[in-house]
Amino acid sequence: MTDGYAELQALSNFSFLEGGSHAEELVNQAKALGLAALGIADRNTLAGVVRAHVAAKEAGLQLIVGARLDLMEGISLVLYPEDRAAYGRLSTLLTIGKGRAEKGACHLWLEDVYQHAGGQVVIALPPPEEAAFETQLEELCRRLPEPPYLAASYLHKGDDRAYLARLADLAARTGAKLLAVNDVLYHAPARRPLADVLACIREGVKISEAGFLLEANAERHLKSPAEMARLFKGYEDALARTLEIAARCRFSLDELKYEYPDEPVPEGKTPQQHLEDLVRQGAAWRYHGKVPEKVEATLARELALIARRDYAPYFLTVHDIVEFARAENILAQGRGSAANSAVCYCLGITAVDPVEMDLLFDRFISEKRNEPPDIDVDFEHERREEVIQYIYRRYGRMRAGIAATVISYRARSAVREVGKAMGLTEDVTGALAGTVWGSWTDRMPDERVKEAGLDPADPYLRRTLELARELMGFPRHLSQHVGGFVLSRGPLCETVPIGNAAMEDRTFVEWDKDDLDALGLMKVDVLGLGMLTCIRKCFGILETQYGRKLTLADVPGDDAGVYDMICDADTIGVFQIESRAQMSMLPRLRPRTFYDLVIEVAIVRPGPIQGDMVHPYLRRRQELEDVRIEGPSPEHGDPDELRRILNRTLGVPLFQEQAMKIAIVAAEFTGDEANQLRHAMATFRRRGNIDKLRDRFVGRMIERGYPPDFAERCFNQIEGFGEYGFPESHAASFAKLVYVSAWLKHHYPAAFAAALMNAQPMGFYAPAQIVSCAKEHGVEVRPADVVHSDWDNKLEPAKRGYALRLGLRQVDGLAEEAGAALMAAREEEPFKDMRDLKDRAGISALALEKLAAADAFRALGRDRREALWEARALKREKPLPLFAHAGAAEEGERSTEEAEARAALPAMPLAEHVVADYQTLRLSLKAHPVSFLRGAFRERGVFSAAEAKAAKDGARLAVSGVVLIRQRPGGGKAIFVTLEDETGIVNCVIWASTFERYRREVMSGRILYVKGRLQSHQGVIHLVAEHIEDWSAMLGTLMAGPAQDEAKRTAPESGARHPRNVRVIPKSRDFH
Amino acid sequence: MPLTDAKARLPALAHEPADLAGDSAALHRLAAWCLRYSPFTAADGGDGLLIDATGCAHLFGGEEAMLIRIERDAAKAGFTARTGMAETLGAAHALARFAGERESRIAPPGGLRESLEGLPVEALRLDEKTVLLLRRLGLERIGALYALPRRALARRFRSKAAGEAVMRRLDQALGHEGEAVSPLHPTPAFRVSAGFAEPVTEEDFLPEIFRRLAEDLKPLLEREGEGGTRWGFRALRVDGGAASFTFRTAAPVRESGHLVRLFRERLGQPDHGFDLGPGAEHFLLSAEETAPFDAAQSAFAGRDHEKGEETARLAALADRLMARFGETRVKRQEPCPSHIPERAASVKGFSHEMRGREAGWQAARVHAPSQRPLRLLPRPEPIEVMAEVPDGPPLRFRFRKAMHQVARAEGPERITPEWWRLENGVFDEIRDYYRIEDVSGRRYWVFRAGLYEGPQAGDRVPSWFMHGFFA
């Protein structure tokens, strides 16, 4: 009856807020329906084609790659390139269109299409208003190399037969070729509700009011060849043409071949020669002229492999970028699997000596895996832009592009937008979104809905949540990747369209990292890392203040004092190991060597935690349990087969590559299966074949005699890595920075604290904790002040060594320009008074008020209140010279009046000062807010943090303090709340059942009273909560003035908020 | 705090939407109730009452006794009242709201300064920002303001007005500056009247009286840029009774001619009920509801102008029909943006805003290119159909017992239910509509509910319905 059908007009969800299905869903459905081929053509983009390509390859379906162009003349064409050259033209065409428009838009005219029409199959889409279309179609027939196809669809509008007849006539008159399509918007009719909701989000209307913005029916899904044949009865040639196009368009993305740029190679040398020269020089530098034999051998092996695979230009390109950074004094360090390479180490790209660490090059580049190397380099986050601009300069915009990041709908955003489209009010959607601590994968648990004060049984709400879940994972828009660059030898735009970013001077390609990976294109990750900024700033202070010049490479290693500090969990500000979870691990793991730090970095991660590997490792490390390496039963092979893999970690797999190795060795995965596993984990995809892989993995290990529990845990761990993979080499690179930052903190606490605050935003803690930690290390901290402070925090000579002087950058809301103007004016001559400061620095009245509110005029003899009084009167600009004299009399009269008035202002109580300090600086050097409550606390038998620390394990006691951190890791069984008082911090654990009882107190209290049982184990102290009260109101009753109300305001009930941004006391309503 | 947040914290929380208009009305009723204490009372903001007690206190046995009496009476009526008394409105306001339990809430003659001294600055009726700044400066109590040089304090405010507000409120409270109180009841703005020396007994005079009043009212409306949409005409009779007419117009109106025509239509009705009795000597005409006049007018030139004229003529016709047959009898169809045929139009009264209807019909035609009957059956009626499976048009059908042979058919137009409505009911199946013509040339609009096959087919056997006829 039918010869088959290929669908050639389909949108995926990369036509944002229009297409209702993932490319994978379209491909799988097309395959299931028995379509001959599928053409996905999204609006003005090729962004979704790689995903479709990968899915089509897996499914064994022919994918026709193309794009739908919405032209400025108001007509739309679908273009399918026949070959690589035509694909290049299509990609170039899109690049041209995007170059003319702001981010996300594309401006193309018919004329552009004619110029790039060679080798393209062109399908003209009839617009709803058919009147002007005939002339346009005639023009297309005349101007294109061959007449276009004319798309005809049967969409059950009632007059479809008449419509088809009209189009057939039109085709006959103009010479265009009628082509059957189904104008597909989603893979199956069940997606129509989501497509309707997408239309509502797109148009900003509620579903009940969307009316004709929605489709009348659900016919725009993929249909079987038989169904299409039935609908297009009498138009068999229109169906046959779909197969004709499928036969013509044989281009596949697999044909994109990559060629490295050759800039970094000097003339007369081959890339390989040049690389070998550089490596030789680098090795001499790393090993001070005496390169160990082992290293020589490793280098020779690596270089040989690089030569065989022709990767030298890639290494040279990365080296070139790192060299630029070095010349500009920008700290840089490679991370990830590149740290397995001795070549990278000698080139100065990575900082870990792989030979010393016993890291293996073939984990980085494998001859068998035909994947290009992947080197990620971290740069200081503040100066990364300089590196990026260098790359653009060096390779040009047509050959260098930043990868895209596909921003997808997450639980929160999906609920918010679907809820709005469904007509729920802002407070309902806000409440729903607010209860999302992490993300929910399958459906929103009823308890969460109840927590939001809503009824989970409400069918309308259910429907909304179901739709939100469907929307999750849909791409929302493209953004530029933080620093993944694609570089090429030829014009990059012939491979992938390049568009403008929202940020000026930025362009980015349409594909993300996974897409580039899937096609094997080369990329370099230029990432920003806050800790590198901090370290460089600290090095700067050491050089200017202490005259000590350091680089990452020559910080002295193996310093016992540094490890002692780490074992005490005294690690606020130290890279990676400063979080609450890491800190509670440190006293148990007790790192003493560099490799211990590598493990410390890797162990507090979803992988080892989900695999329940943490406790076994700790027990073995503390020698409470024997090291045992699991193995198969003897008849299934070498019982010691995992020894090489697990020996270093006491038989417990902790790193991602160990887990993968177990898959290959213990579960006997083939290379192909291992790749599938890697793929399934790497990307946020529909699950499905995960379960198959799990059965295979666990089943085979059990079959071979491994304990079932071990096999199960290994797979759980791999799943955990899916969210956040952590290979050993990566942990080693990070551990290097852990050590360096800990070393700086230990030896130069003042400089470290200053650098840390100058590099904000970064790290886990707020300035208040950084400052109080510095104080504990004996650092004198001085307040921010207009007379002494710079913009940055800095060191000032003190009686003993140096004191830390807070910078004006700590003043909330003060612009950097105001700070700079102030410093420049002060440089010329010290300020006489506030008026003088305002006149000479020329800062705004508002900036002046902010400084006054931050109590920064003490050195000019005015406390906060007096300064505010004075600042409020200095609004007018400097008087004109002509009136200066006339004004003098008034001025004189005024100044006596002012003096009287100032004397009449009541003095501000200390407690109010402290509250105001927290509001304007987010910290106070004067006192801790809780110290004012200590008397009242005593009466009620509350322990201080210091007293609690000294109490015995199992003791029942109560503490109270301001809430610093609320966390619910992994949406799990426990909530962690960190309280702070004037003596330190207490970590409280609230089990879920307790939490349910005290939810309101925990979520909105600023000051909590927690009574419970103390758990003290190996120096890690937790208070397990049994009873909780919200004591926030006490803060108000003990204070006077506005502080009273402001301290009393309840905290907004929100889920996870970064501890760095938590405000102990809410911002005031008048200074912001 | 948003309600959902509050509910999350306290699930048992009872809540009701605020009724600001109701509260305000209740407050005004209370003000009237307070006339028992003094001839002058007024509502004060959203939560207070002003009572001018001048010369009244002695009737209750003194000031203190009067306040106690008011509080007790209020308690009986179910209100908790706090009272304060002073020579100035500002001070009384402050004392009633902020005087502590042990402080006197009556300012003795000449003792305003002392009475107010200890009250917080909020008591001065200042905005939140101003209060915050004063407190920020440590000026917590009203007394702290006395000592400050006035100009120096005024300079601390962002605007001159804000600075002066503090001073003015302070002066008002201390009696250095007077303060006017607004009257209790507002009067309708658009009302004219005419009185006659001799009572009017003849109905025939009424249109002329009405016309003159309408002409008097016109400039009042013009001045405000308004037109009337609801009109009240009242005759006050010599015997103390009254007769009245109220009527609506579809669009805002000012012209007396049109109004008189409507008035005559009304008067022409046999049972108009406007009874002059022994005669009326006073006549009132008021525009009880008004709307901006210009908004109802279309653009000035070209086609739009003609369209505007047409719309105006249509409105005038509707007014006359309503005057003759009653307001609820005149309806028109309004387009609703829905694909579901019975929801695509709704029948509304005429007095609604009329613009945008044309565009609505236009949009409906684009989205459903196939023609539909002008009027649908109130409910689709089941029919028996012979048709080709799965989605062929009817070949033959039985409707109201008669068999029809189909000559021509077009379709299907497929319409799926509005899935977001939870109350779709019986017809929550996909419908395929067909336009069919029987052998005698009569044309029908029928549909099949449900599909025979395909991914969207339901469990029920599809059934057929008649939904309308083409003219």
Side-chain angles (χ1 to χ4, degrees):
Chain A
M1 188 177 109
T2 168
D3 291 318
Y5 171 68
E7 179 59 58
L8 291 169
Q9 192 188 343
L11 296 180
S12 80
N13 53 16
F14 272 86
S15 294
F16 301 131
L17 296 179
E18 187 174 8
S21 295
H22 293 272
E24 293 86 345
E25 291 171 328
L26 289 167
V27 164
N28 293 335
Q29 180 79 354
K31 180 72 186 171
L33 288 172
L35 297 192
L38 173 67
I40 295 181
D42 281 309
R43 288 184 188 269
N44 300 328
T45 186
L46 290 170
V49 296
V50 181
R51 281 149 207 252
H53 168 75
V54 172
K57 249 171 87 171
E58 264 175 41
L61 178 83
Q62 183 193 348
L63 176 80
I64 306 174
V65 170
R68 167 181 175 151
L69 306 180
D70 293 329
L71 302 177
M72 300 303 278
E73 284 95 343
I75 181 177
S76 294
L77 304 174
V78 169
L79 264 62
Y80 288 119
E82 289 183 337
D83 51 30
R84 173 67 181 92
Y87 172 83
R89 283 190 283 276
L90 176 59
S91 175
T92 306
L93 188 59
L94 286 167
T95 303
I96 292 170
K98 282 163 191 290
R100 288 176 186 151
E102 74 281 17
K103 185 195 166 197
C106 180
H107 293 172
L108 285 173
W109 279 265
L110 277 168
E111 204 57 45
D112 301 314
V113 176
Y114 299 144
Q115 281 170 24
H116 296 83
Q120 319 278 3
V121 165
V122 178
I123 304 169
L125 308 179
E129 193 62 56
E130 290 165 47
F133 184 52
E134 178 155 359
T135 31
Q136 281 172 329
L137 197 58
E138 278 168 358
E139 185 192 312
L140 283 170
C141 290
R142 218 169 47 242
R143 296 284 310 272
L144 289 172
E146 61 167 289
Y149 291 87
L150 174 61
S153 48
Y154 186 108
L155 293 173
H156 293 79
K157 282 179 181 279
D159 65 341
D160 300 271
R161 298 302 299 180
Y163 176 67
L164 288 187
R166 277 206 306 281
L167 286 184
D169 263 6
L170 181 64
R173 282 201 302 278
T174 53
K177 296 172 275 188
L178 196 70
L179 179 76
V181 297
N182 200 45
D183 198 2
V184 167
L185 213 49
Y186 32 81
H187 70 289
R191 274 296 161 80
R192 177 212 177 206
L194 184 63
D196 285 348
V197 165
L198 290 174
C200 291
I201 297 173
R202 187 176 72 228
E203 304 290 338
V205 295
K206 289 183 206 155
I207 190 112
S208 56
E209 288 157 17
F212 299 126
L213 292 171
L214 310 179
E215 299 279 329
N217 57 43
E219 292 305 308
R220 295 179 65 179
H221 59 93
L222 282 170
K223 289 180 181 161
S224 69
E227 174 74 357
M228 290 303 284
R230 201 173 65 78
L231 297 176
F232 282 84
K233 208 165 170 183
Y235 298 95
E236 281 70 20
D237 51 342
L239 289 165
R241 286 193 190 101
T242 64
L243 301 179
E244 171 189 311
I245 292 175
R248 279 175 64 185
C249 298
R250 304 308 306 194
F251 167 72
S252 156
L253 289 176
D254 284 336
E255 291 170 44
L256 299 182
K257 259 207 296 296
Y258 195 74
E259 283 160 333
Y260 295 113
D262 43 23
E263 264 80 358
V265 186
E267 249 176 280
K269 276 211 257 186
T270 66
Q272 185 71 20
Q273 283 170 342
H274 187 49
L275 179 67
E276 285 177 16
D277 291 350
L278 287 175
V279 168
R280 205 168 304 120
Q281 289 163 22
W285 159 66
R286 280 292 192 197
Y287 299 99
H288 310 289
K290 301 186 288 282
V291 185
E293 252 171 61
K294 196 173 156 199
V295 176
E296 288 277 19
T298 310
L299 287 175
R301 209 160 43 81
E302 290 186 18
L303 285 169
L305 180 56
I306 291 169
R308 273 201 302 284
R309 302 223 50 110
D310 248 347
Y311 286 149
Y314 178 65
F315 284 83
L316 291 173
T317 305
V318 177
H319 173 255
D320 182 64
I321 296 167
V322 171
E323 271 306 294
F324 164 78
R326 189 148 302 145
E328 294 294 314
N329 200 19
I330 301 170
L331 281 193
Q333 185 189 288
R335 64 152 84 168
S337 57
N340 286 309
S341 155
V343 166
C344 284
Y345 180 64
C346 290
L347 289 176
I349 295 169
T350 53
V352 182
D353 184 346
V355 178
E356 193 184 305
M357 276 282 296
D358 212 11
L359 295 168
L360 296 176
F361 186 61
D362 55 5
R363 292 191 194 142
F364 174 43
I365 298 175
S366 139
E367 212 157 356
K368 282 188 223 111
R369 263 191 294 138
N370 193 9
E371 276 173 17
D374 181 6
I375 306 180
D376 303 341
V377 188
D378 288 319
F379 297 86
E380 294 173 34
H381 71 331
E382 278 185 8
R383 302 187 61 191
R384 194 171 58 101
E385 186 61 25
E386 296 172 40
V387 179
I388 289 172
Q389 291 305 331
Y390 167 74
I391 294 173
Y392 277 137
R393 274 202 309 279
R394 180 123 170 123
Y395 300 99
R397 301 246 159 198
M398 286 314 264
R399 295 173 44 219
I402 293 185
T405 301
V406 179
I407 308 293
S408 296
Y409 278 97
R410 302 267 138 190
R412 209 178 274 265
S413 47
V415 166
R416 212 174 266 286
E417 298 209 7
V418 172
K420 202 168 145 199
M422 292 292 283
L424 302 183
T425 58
E426 191 104 359
D427 58 327
V428 173
T429 53
L432 275 176
T435 57
V436 183
W437 285 74
S439 63
W440 26 278
T441 42
D442 292 329
R443 58 193 210 110
M444 193 162 183
D446 286 355
E447 313 86 72
R448 297 283 158 76
V449 180
K450 273 192 216 137
E451 274 170 21
L454 301 166
D455 176 11
D458 179 330
Y460 198 76
L461 200 61
R462 271 261 86 91
R463 189 89 221 226
T464 304
L465 292 173
E466 274 162 27
L467 284 163
R469 188 187 48 77
E470 251 181 335
L471 183 61
M472 273 168 62
F474 263 50
R476 196 179 185 192
H477 60 93
L478 292 184
S479 173
Q480 52 179 345
H481 186 263
V482 287
F485 263 96
V486 211
L487 305 169
S488 65
R489 182 145 68 189
L492 186 59
C493 67
E494 288 180 7
T495 297
V496 53
I498 306 171
N500 286 330
M503 196 191 283
E504 214 180 318
D505 285 338
R506 284 283 182 91
T507 51
F508 67 97
V509 305
E510 289 193 336
W511 293 341
D512 74 358
K513 278 177 64 146
D514 294 338
D515 295 339
L516 297 170
D517 266 352
L519 297 179
L521 301 185
M522 176 193 113
K523 63 183 196 335
V524 187
D525 267 1
V526 178
L527 303 171
L529 192 61
M531 185 45 79
L532 284 173
T533 312
C534 167
I535 291 174
R536 202 251 309 150
K537 289 189 170 184
C538 198
F539 284 170
I541 295 173
L542 295 196
E543 194 174 339
T544 53
Q545 302 288 351
Y546 296 85
R548 181 162 188 182
K549 210 167 148 61
L550 279 177
T551 67
L552 281 180
D554 46 37
V555 169
D558 297 324
D559 186 323
V562 173
Y563 285 106
D564 288 345
M565 183 185 82
I566 292 173
C567 289
D568 286 347
D570 179 7
T571 51
I572 286 180
V574 176
F575 188 56
Q576 289 282 316
I577 57 167
E578 59 169 347
S579 72
R580 182 199 48 76
Q582 288 275 7
M583 272 196 191
S584 62
M585 186 63 66
L586 289 168
R588 287 190 269 176
L589 198 108
R590 305 200 61 77
R592 299 305 316 175
T593 65
F594 180 69
Y595 193 71
D596 292 341
L597 291 182
V598 177
I599 287 174
E600 173 72 36
V601 166
I603 200 166
V604 189
R605 301 279 161 194
I609 292 171
Q610 283 189 29
D612 197 16
M613 301 298 184
V614 180
H615 292 284
Y617 179 82
L618 281 177
R619 281 199 299 275
R620 291 176 187 196
R621 170 143 180 116
Q622 291 163 8
E623 295 176 3
L624 299 172
E625 177 182 306
D626 288 338
V627 173
R628 220 175 81 85
I629 290 173
E630 306 291 354
S633 40
E635 71 271 23
H636 285 291
D638 178 10
D640 247 7
E641 64 183 14
L642 292 184
R643 178 161 297 280
R644 254 203 69 204
I645 302 167
L646 298 179
N647 213 12
R648 289 143 61 70
T649 51
L650 311 179
V652 181
L654 294 177
F655 301 111
Q656 193 176 20
E657 57 264 65
Q658 289 176 317
M660 289 306 295
K661 270 271 155 69
I662 290 174
I664 294 167
V665 174
E668 296 187 316
F669 269 41
T670 62
D672 216 34
E673 286 171 327
N675 261 338
Q676 274 180 35
L677 185 59
R678 209 190 316 264
H679 246 101
M681 294 304 155
T683 45
F684 184 77
R685 287 258 174 90
R686 312 253 124 191
R687 305 166 72 84
N689 67 342
I690 277 286
D691 293 328
K692 246 187 292 164
L693 289 166
R694 170 186 285 274
D695 291 346
R696 205 178 297 161
F697 184 101
V698 177
R700 279 195 208 152
M701 277 180 73
I702 295 173
E703 212 171 277
R704 296 188 63 240
Y706 278 93
D709 153 69
F710 180 71
E712 196 68 48
R713 277 164 45 213
C714 283
F715 195 83
N716 290 345
Q717 179 174 27
I718 294 181
E719 271 190 308
F721 281 131
E723 283 169 40
Y724 205 93
F726 231 77
E728 186 177 13
S729 51
H730 185 55
S733 296
F734 272 15
K736 192 84 193 172
L737 298 181
V738 171
Y739 180 79
V740 170
S741 55
W743 187 90
L744 289 169
K745 179 183 167 78
H746 180 63
H747 291 282
Y748 300 97
F752 183 68
L756 204 50
M757 287 196 287
N758 289 342
Q760 290 293 315
M762 60 160 289
F764 192 73
Y765 293 97
Q769 283 86 55
I770 297 172
V771 163
S772 72
C773 176
K775 277 175 159 175
E776 277 165 34
H777 281 253
V779 176
E780 179 194 345
V781 185
R782 297 173 178 177
D785 195 289
V786 292
V787 172
H788 304 290
S789 289
D790 291 349
W791 172 252
D792 278 332
N793 299 284
K794 65 177 179 184
L795 299 196
E796 280 178 355
K799 268 183 254 131
R800 273 188 318 118
Y802 288 97
L804 169 60
R805 169 67 73 178
L806 295 185
L808 298 176
R809 67 185 303 145
Q810 302 307 128
V811 176
D812 249 1
L814 189 70
E816 188 169 354
E817 296 79 64
L822 190 147
M823 282 166 69
R826 194 177 62 192
E827 189 77 5
E828 283 171 18
E829 198 186 322
F831 298 126
K832 287 197 288 292
D833 54 23
M834 193 187 290
R835 161 125 252 163
D836 179 41
L837 183 152
K838 181 174 190 320
D839 289 349
R840 288 200 292 119
I843 64 176
S844 71
L846 200 65
L848 202 65
E849 228 176 276
K850 280 181 176 145
L851 287 166
D855 209 7
F857 285 95
R858 292 236 174 200
L860 285 176
R862 298 278 184 275
D863 83 342
R864 167 178 279 124
R865 181 167 284 166
E866 293 166 333
L868 177 63
W869 176 259
E870 203 162 322
R872 291 291 293 206
L874 292 181
K875 322 174 246 233
R876 264 149 300 197
E877 296 313 309
K878 217 171 169 172
L880 291 171
L882 195 61
F883 300 105
H885 183 69
E890 196 195 329
E891 196 77 18
E893 176 195 343
R894 191 183 288 172
S895 60
T896 36
E897 209 179 57
E898 295 289 332
E900 273 170 43
R902 208 171 51 240
L905 293 177
M908 191 183 227
L910 184 59
E912 200 178 330
H913 267 301
V914 169
V915 170
D917 279 345
Y918 269 86
Q919 291 185 314
T920 52
L921 298 154
R922 297 177 58 209
L923 61 90
S924 179
L925 299 175
K926 301 183 181 92
H928 191 278
V930 168
S931 64
F932 300 100
L933 304 172
R934 185 52 63 196
F937 283 4
R938 279 258 144 68
E939 283 169 26
R940 299 175 199 211
V942 174
F943 278 54
S944 72
E947 288 160 356
K949 208 165 275 176
K952 273 210 265 325
D953 181 38
R956 256 173 227 284
L957 53 87
V959 297
S960 182
V962 294
V963 178
L964 282 190
I965 306 166
R966 277 178 259 256
Q967 275 179 323
R968 186 175 201 169
K973 297 173 293 245
I975 291 90
F976 293 94
V977 171
T978 303
L979 301 180
E980 184 192 63
D981 68 13
E982 74 278 26
T983 67
I985 59 165
V986 188
N987 286 311
C988 301
V989 183
I990 307 168
W991 296 112
S993 55
T994 315
F995 175 66
E996 285 315 319
R997 243 182 313 143
Y998 298 106
R999 187 189 155 74
R1000 182 155 42 115
E1001 288 80 1
V1002 175
M1003 293 308 288
S1004 54
R1006 290 182 187 284
I1007 293 198
L1008 288 185
Y1009 164 86
V1010 179
K1011 203 162 119 186
R1013 205 167 43 77
L1014 198 73
Q1015 255 181 16
S1016 172
H1017 183 56
Q1018 295 167 346
V1020 186
I1021 295 165
H1022 281 112
L1023 186 65
V1024 181
E1026 290 165 355
H1027 176 80
I1028 300 168
E1029 289 173 26
D1030 179 359
W1031 279 10
S1032 308
M1034 284 186 77
L1035 201 49
T1037 55
L1038 286 191
M1039 295 182 177
Q1044 193 179 333
D1045 303 338
E1046 284 160 358
K1048 265 194 290 197
R1049 255 151 63 201
T1050 53
E1053 182 164 338
S1054 65
R1057 195 157 172 215
H1058 197 288
R1060 191 170 65 213
N1061 301 325
V1062 165
R1063 280 185 170 272
V1064 169
I1065 289 165
K1067 258 187 185 178
S1068 64
R1069 279 160 295 180
D1070 45 354
F1071 304 113
H1072 43 69
Chain B
M1 182 188 297
L3 178 62
T4 45
D5 269 11
K7 291 258 292 176
R9 291 173 197 202
L10 203 63
L13 184 74
H15 55 91
E16 247 177 90
D19 175 15
L20 297 180
D23 289 350
S24 161
L27 193 64
H28 278 91
R29 279 198 301 278
L30 265 184
W33 181 81
C34 285
L35 288 168
R36 66 191 63 195
Y37 306 117
S38 147
F40 182 89
T41 65
D44 180 22
D47 64 349
L49 295 170
L50 293 174
I51 300 174
D52 185 351
T54 314
C56 302
H58 71 276
L59 298 173
F60 299 91
E63 292 175 341
E64 186 72 34
M66 180 179 184
L67 294 189
I68 292 170
R69 167 78 182 278
I70 291 174
E71 287 179 7
R72 215 171 43 217
D73 290 351
K76 272 190 217 148
F79 293 95
T80 308
R82 286 176 57 98
T83 54
M85 194 181 278
E87 288 160 47
T88 65
L89 213 153
H93 176 101
L95 286 167
R97 285 167 177 78
F98 292 91
E101 288 298 318
R102 269 160 290 180
E103 285 162 301
S104 166
R105 46 203 180 131
I106 300 173
L112 282 175
R113 272 177 80 92
E114 293 71 28
S115 290
L116 294 180
E117 202 166 53
L119 301 185
V121 285
E122 288 98 304
L124 284 179
R125 295 179 289 170
L126 299 167
D127 66 53
E128 200 189 353
K129 261 193 159 158
T130 304
V131 170
L132 194 57
L133 177 65
L134 290 174
R135 298 184 63 186
R136 186 84 62 207
L137 291 168
L139 306 169
E140 294 269 329
R141 307 275 152 199
I142 294 175
L145 300 177
Y146 300 163
L148 282 171
R150 299 168 65 94
R151 270 189 303 173
L153 180 64
R155 273 199 296 278
R156 264 69 210 178
F157 291 88
R158 289 249 186 280
S159 68
K160 216 174 148 197
E164 282 168 359
V166 179
M167 290 306 142
R168 196 179 62 244
R169 286 308 197 186
L170 185 62
D171 286 346
Q172 284 174 347
L174 294 176
H176 302 319
E177 193 180 305
E179 187 176 359
V181 182
S182 52
L184 188 53
H185 294 294
T187 46
F190 302 110
R191 190 164 72 173
V192 290
S193 63
F196 295 89
E198 291 292 315
V200 177
T201 51
E202 292 293 312
E203 227 173 65
D204 294 352
F205 293 128
L206 290 177
E208 179 55 20
I209 295 170
F210 183 90
R211 189 188 60 76
R212 276 205 250 152
L213 287 172
E215 266 165 21
D216 288 349
L217 193 54
K218 190 179 166 199
L220 298 183
L221 288 165
E222 272 170 350
R223 204 170 51 214
E224 302 294 323
E226 298 280 291
T229 53
R230 203 177 116 104
W231 305 84
F233 179 65
R234 192 160 311 191
L236 304 181
R237 302 197 314 220
V238 282
D239 62 357
S244 67
F245 265 171
T246 47
F247 55 96
R248 289 182 172 278
T249 47
V253 172
R254 287 176 190 160
E255 290 307 321
S256 60
H258 180 56
L259 292 172
V260 172
R261 246 193 320 278
L262 296 179
F263 184 70
R264 281 184 194 280
E265 290 280 1
R266 212 34 208 280
L267 217 52
Q269 302 296 311
D271 52 349
H272 59 67
F274 198 92
D275 182 10
L276 285 171
E281 49 189 358
H282 215 83
F283 293 87
L284 299 166
L285 175 66
S286 55
E288 291 170 354
E289 278 171 26
T290 62
F293 188 73
D294 289 335
Q297 302 289 305
S298 294
F300 293 102
R303 258 188 71 202
D304 282 347
H305 181 60
E306 276 166 37
K307 193 159 262 171
E309 295 263 285
E310 200 181 294
T311 313
R313 278 204 299 275
L314 192 62
L317 174 66
D319 288 345
R320 294 184 63 189
L321 289 172
M322 284 195 285
R324 186 170 299 172
F325 301 113
E327 279 169 27
T328 54
R329 296 266 176 76
V330 186
K331 309 274 191 201
R332 66 180 294 164
Q333 289 208 359
E334 283 205 43
C336 298
S338 171
H339 291 292
I340 308 293
E342 61 270 30
R343 294 200 187 112
S346 65
V347 174
K348 294 239 168 91
F350 219 97
S351 47
H352 286 259
E353 174 64 36
M354 308 216 302
R355 290 190 309 160
R357 283 178 178 140
E358 203 57 37
W361 287 119
Q362 199 69 40
R365 271 192 285 279
V366 170
H367 289 278
S370 171
Q371 269 186 35
R372 293 179 179 184
L374 259 181
R375 293 186 62 189
L376 300 173
L377 290 170
R379 282 187 67 78
E381 295 178 28
I383 49 175
E384 282 168 42
V385 168
M386 261 279 278
E388 210 176 290
V389 170
D391 63 357
L395 302 171
R396 228 173 341 157
F397 67 96
R398 188 191 296 278
F399 173 57
R400 292 180 184 164
K401 296 195 177 134
M403 187 60 94
H404 301 261
Q405 194 70 34
V406 174
R408 266 188 288 237
E410 189 181 53
E413 177 183 359
R414 184 161 293 175
I415 297 172
T416 44
E418 295 180 330
W419 56 267
W420 61 92
R421 286 176 184 259
L422 299 166
E423 79 289 7
N424 272 310
V426 194
F427 296 106
D428 59 357
E429 301 216 36
I430 296 181
R431 301 181 202 172
D432 270 354
Y433 277 92
Y434 297 85
R435 293 201 301 149
I436 52 180
E437 190 178 315
D438 67 11
V439 283
S440 52
R442 279 176 298 218
R443 298 192 297 144
Y444 307 90
W445 207 40
V446 301
F447 70 88
R448 174 172 32 71
L451 302 184
Y452 277 101
E453 58 183 44
Q456 302 178 77
D459 305 330
R460 257 182 288 174
V461 180
S463 46
W464 289 83
F465 295 87
M466 172 68 64
H467 207 172
F469 315 105
F470 290 96

